Amino acid sequence: MAMIAHKCAGHQVTVVDINQSRIDAWNSDKLPVFEPGLDAIVEEARGRNLFFSTDVDTAIREAEMIFLSVNTPTKTYGVGAGRAADLRYIEKCARKIAEVAEDDKIVVEKSTLPVRTAESVKRILESNSNGRNFQILSNPEFLAEGTAMADLEAPDRVLIGGDQTPGGLAAIQKLVDIYATWVPRANVITTNLWSSELSKLTANAFLAQRISSINAISALCEATEADVDEVAHAIGTDSRIGPKFLRASVGFGGSCFQKDILNLVYLCEHFGLPEVAAYWNGVIEMNDYQKRRFSRRVISAMFNTVSDKKIAVLGFAFKKDTNDTRESAAIYICKDLLEEQANLAIYDPKVEVAQIQKDLGIDADFDRVTYCESAYEATEGAHAVLILTEWDAFKTLDFQKIYDHMQLPAFIFDGRNLLDLDALRAIGFEARGIGKG
Ligand code: UGA
């Protein structure tokens, strides 16, 4: 929304939330999310044509177009628990719009939704329409965290789905016109509603599948003499495969991949397609295996015990350039090591201590975990260093200095293949990467 306000000075954008402290944060100098470049754009547009407010009703009444951007977490209760999307927030929004709107509205689904949600939103709105005309569009977001501003500025494509009726096509055109302010028209794809919703889930499933595929090969590389980075490079030069999203890792995280695939799996089962469901579920299973495999390798390399050993964890976010930890592989690995009675010293440049405690389910008194201000503090006296997020700053650490202050043998496990293992071995480290034979 900040990017739309930034690019389209003639449109007024009002972001509303029922959470007062979030809105206060959006109106302050410290935004509630860390995203490179976001501050500047918000600051430029805020107060001009970008507003943050808790007055939901007024915003609905005044808007011509309403974007639903609430979260759709995996259901934790009832039918489909652990897999299906929880649509209660979406439904509440639809009911609120039906209750408050005084005239026609275009309602845009921005949240990632399982296919055919638009139909439910439409039915709720239409059964309460009282003569008002509601058009529903699907406009899934493809930005990735950490590169969100660049992704929004020059998206590979913008996808807009809507009813293929005169009213639906007119609504699609209104949204196309907004994006066309800065996105080449050829990059704005229009489809029917269901194709748009399904494309979002499919895009994430394909992206995650590439990571699980290369991670599967990384296990084979470790068992043999192959190097997964060399394999990834060799296959990535095939233009049909392409080089992106082939970085073997400690496992993918983030709020979307797992949730969206689980959703896809649930949908396939719902529509009586168990083979298709099992196929996509394999992507998640491989990711779980990759996280578990990493902790097991750490333990087995360290003479089968990490009990009472100090392990430095560098990086807790699910990827670099974000403070987001949702589904971060680091959470699973730290929990595995804590179960083995390790002492963890965690350092992440952006993640706050309270977040780490929440993710690990521990309180401030829990003495097996310490929170450090730097990588040097975390590694002081440690038996092992784990790289769990690919922060650029980790590449230029003084590893000789780190080695000099560690217990021997000094282990380093690079879960992101970020470091030069040969250089680390020359210092004296027992260095291991992912998929390095
Ligand atoms: C992902 C998609 O890339 C976006 O297109 C999509 O819009 C977004 O989900 C969403 O649905 O909202 P995001 O989760 O922010 O974006 O970040 P990614 O860059 O996709 O990374 C996801 C995870 O995969 C991270 O843990 C990352 O470290 C890992 N990854 C990525 C790898 O392990 N290897 C790779 O080669 C690439």
Side-chain angles (χ1 to χ4, degrees), residues 299 305-311 334-344 366 368:
I299 297 161
T305 177
V306 289
S307 171
D308 284 332
K309 289 180 181 166
K310 176 175 176 180
I311 297 185
C334 288
K335 282 187 174 170
D336 283 352
L337 296 174
L338 287 173
E339 246 173 53
E340 293 288 328
Q341 310 276 307
N343 296 321
L344 305 182
F366 186 79
R368 282 201 181 277

Side-chain angles (χ1 to χ4, degrees), residues 312-316 345 347 374-375 378-379 385-389 394 397 402:
V313 173
L314 302 189
F316 201 82
Y347 167 66
S374 73
T379 52
V385 181
L386 273 44
I387 307 282
L388 299 187
T389 310
F394 296 160
L397 289 170
I402 288 177

Side-chain angles (χ1 to χ4, degrees), residues 152-155 157-158 176 178-188:
L152 288 167
E153 182 98 43
R157 74 336 205 156
V158 165
V176 168
I178 292 178
Y179 284 109
T181 314
W182 79 96
V183 179
R185 182 60 187 85
N187 293 9
V188 182

Side-chain angles (χ1 to χ4, degrees), residues 107-177:
V107 177
V108 185
E109 298 177 343
K110 199 70 185 157
S111 312
T112 299
L113 297 164
V115 270
R116 300 207 160 251
T117 308
E119 189 165 46
S120 321
V121 172
K122 203 187 304 181
R123 281 190 45 206
I124 292 167
L125 290 172
E126 278 171 2
S127 46
N128 298 284
S129 74
N130 298 330
R132 296 159 301 178
N133 177 26
F134 294 111
Q135 283 298 333
I136 321 294
L137 301 179
S138 158
N139 173 217
E141 185 49 63
F142 294 104
L143 68 81
E145 290 180 33
T147 54
M149 292 300 118
D151 296 343
L152 288 167
E153 182 98 43
D156 286 348
R157 74 336 205 156
V158 165
L159 179 58
I160 302 172
D163 276 343
Q164 304 297 300
T165 56
L169 293 170
I172 291 175
Q173 190 56 45
K174 283 203 167 169
L175 189 51
V176 168
D177 290 344

Side-chain angles (χ1 to χ4, degrees), residues 214 227-239 241-244 246-247:
I214 199 71
D227 177 320
V228 77
D229 287 339
E230 290 179 352
V231 174
H233 177 68
I235 66 166
T237 51
D238 183 326
S239 60
I241 297 175
K244 293 182 184 164
L246 286 180
R247 272 193 338 271

Side-chain angles (χ1 to χ4, degrees), residues 80-356:
R83 291 171 311 157
D86 189 342
L87 297 177
R88 66 171 136 172
Y89 306 114
I90 285 286
E91 176 162 348
K92 277 186 184 158
C93 287
R95 289 188 185 280
K96 187 76 180 164
I97 294 168
E99 174 198 324
V100 174
E102 290 168 351
D103 53 11
D104 298 352
K105 306 285 180 204
I106 298 172
V107 177
V108 185
E109 298 177 343
K110 199 70 185 157
S111 312
T112 299
L113 297 164
V115 270
R116 300 207 160 251
T117 308
E119 189 165 46
S120 321
V121 172
K122 203 187 304 181
R123 281 190 45 206
I124 292 167
L125 290 172
E126 278 171 2
S127 46
N128 298 284
S129 74
N130 298 330
R132 296 159 301 178
N133 177 26
F134 294 111
Q135 283 298 333
I136 321 294
L137 301 179
S138 158
N139 173 217
E141 185 49 63
F142 294 104
L143 68 81
E145 290 180 33
T147 54
M149 292 300 118
D151 296 343
L152 288 167
E153 182 98 43
D156 286 348
R157 74 336 205 156
V158 165
L159 179 58
I160 302 172
D163 276 343
Q164 304 297 300
T165 56
L169 293 170
I172 291 175
Q173 190 56 45
K174 283 203 167 169
L175 189 51
V176 168
D177 290 344
I178 292 178
Y179 284 109
T181 314
W182 79 96
V183 179
R185 182 60 187 85
N187 293 9
V188 182
I189 301 171
T190 59
T191 64
N192 75 33
L193 267 176
W194 323 123
S195 299
S196 170
E197 288 186 345
L198 185 57
S199 298
K200 170 66 192 188
L201 294 186
T202 307
N204 274 353
F206 269 60
L207 289 168
Q209 182 195 45
R210 281 175 72 94
I211 304 169
S212 275
S213 296
I214 199 71
N215 281 343
I217 296 301
S218 79
L220 184 58
C221 290
E222 282 162 31
T224 60
E225 293 287 297
D227 177 320
V228 77
D229 287 339
E230 290 179 352
V231 174
H233 177 68
I235 66 166
T237 51
D238 183 326
S239 60
R240 293 167 303 174
I241 297 175
K244 293 182 184 164
F245 262 67
L246 286 180
R247 272 193 338 271
S249 69
V250 68
F252 61 74
S255 64
C256 305
F257 282 174
Q258 173 156 319
K259 172 181 75 112
D260 290 355
I261 295 172
L262 286 172
N263 224 319
L264 192 59
V265 168
Y266 185 72
L267 278 173
C268 294
E269 282 173 358
H270 174 80
F271 287 107
L273 304 168
E275 291 83 356
V276 185
Y279 177 76
W280 288 108
N281 200 47
V283 174
I284 306 259
E285 283 171 0
M286 182 51 59
N287 198 47
D288 290 340
Y289 166 72
Q290 186 75 350
K291 292 183 275 192
R292 262 196 329 268
R293 212 166 66 74
F294 186 83
S295 343
R296 284 192 194 150
R297 275 180 87 213
V298 170
I299 297 161
S300 95
M302 295 176 74
F303 319 111
N304 283 319
T305 177
V306 289
S307 171
D308 284 332
K309 289 180 181 166
K310 176 175 176 180
I311 297 185
V313 173
L314 302 189
F316 201 82
F318 82 98
K319 63 188 280 195
K320 73 171 179 178
D321 292 336
T322 176
N323 60 351
D324 194 342
T325 61
R326 284 176 290 177
E327 287 300 327
S328 178
I331 300 173
Y332 294 87
I333 286 151
C334 288
K335 282 187 174 170
D336 283 352
L337 296 174
L338 287 173
E339 246 173 53
E340 293 288 328
Q341 310 276 307
N343 296 321
L344 305 182
I346 304 177
Y347 167 66
D348 185 286
K350 287 287 172 199
V351 178
E352 303 204 345
V353 169
Q355 186 61 49
I356 298 175

